[in-house]
Amino acid sequence: MYSQDFLDELLIWAAARLELSGDYQVQVLNGGFSGDFLWLLKTESGPMPLLRVVESSKAARLKRSFEALRSANALEIPVNAPLFCEECGDDVCVMASAYIPGEDG
């Protein structure tokens, strides 16, 4: 779907947006039924951001999910803490949240 160069640039953009310092490793997460790209950025210290990448046609859905996370987080419901949700160019929308380790639902 997307070229590896585009995905690499997207990861660099997201890491800068998250203000990650130092080295980080990228783990591709497979599973689920959405078809979204999921990446876990493993950092040396601090939280591990989870990135969800969707094509622009699904941006509205992703932004609604982000707002739901923000509302649940404000009510102190244990959910992934929302970090940002932004469109990156005309092609994709990226949502970042804190990662909570565990089993798939």
Side-chain angles (χ1 to χ4, degrees), residues 88-103:
C88 182
D90 295 332
D91 297 324
V92 297
C93 185
V94 179
M95 180 174 80
S97 60
Y99 177 71
I100 299 174
E103 296 294 320

Side-chain angles (χ1 to χ4, degrees), residues 1-2 6 53-63 86-94:
M1 178 177 202
Y2 298 112
F6 177 79
V53 180
V54 301
E55 44 194 48
S56 291
S57 63
K58 298 179 182 177
R61 174 185 57 87
L62 192 63
K63 289 177 181 180
E86 296 178 13
E87 292 188 51
C88 182
D90 295 332
D91 297 324
V92 297
C93 185
V94 179

Side-chain angles (χ1 to χ4, degrees), residues 3 8 14-15 23 35 39 43 49 57-59 66 71 74 76 80 87-88:
S3 72
D8 291 344
D23 292 332
W39 291 314
T43 60
S57 63
K58 298 179 182 177
F66 181 78
S71 296
E76 298 182 12
N80 302 38
E87 292 188 51
C88 182

Side-chain angles (χ1 to χ4, degrees), residues 64-77 79-80 82:
R64 283 192 305 271
S65 295
F66 181 78
E67 290 304 320
L69 278 179
R70 184 182 289 181
S71 296
N73 189 266
L75 295 171
E76 298 182 12
I77 297 171
V79 296
N80 302 38

Side-chain angles (χ1 to χ4, degrees), residues 11-51:
L11 281 169
I12 291 168
W13 172 85
R17 177 68 178 82
L18 290 163
E19 299 178 359
L20 295 181
S21 59
D23 292 332
Y24 60 90
Q25 296 177 346
V26 179
Q27 178 183 351
V28 176
L29 300 178
N30 297 314
F33 299 99
S34 67
D36 300 347
F37 287 99
L38 293 172
W39 291 314
L40 179 61
L41 303 183
K42 295 182 176 182
T43 60
E44 293 176 358
S45 61
M48 294 188 299
L50 175 67
L51 299 178

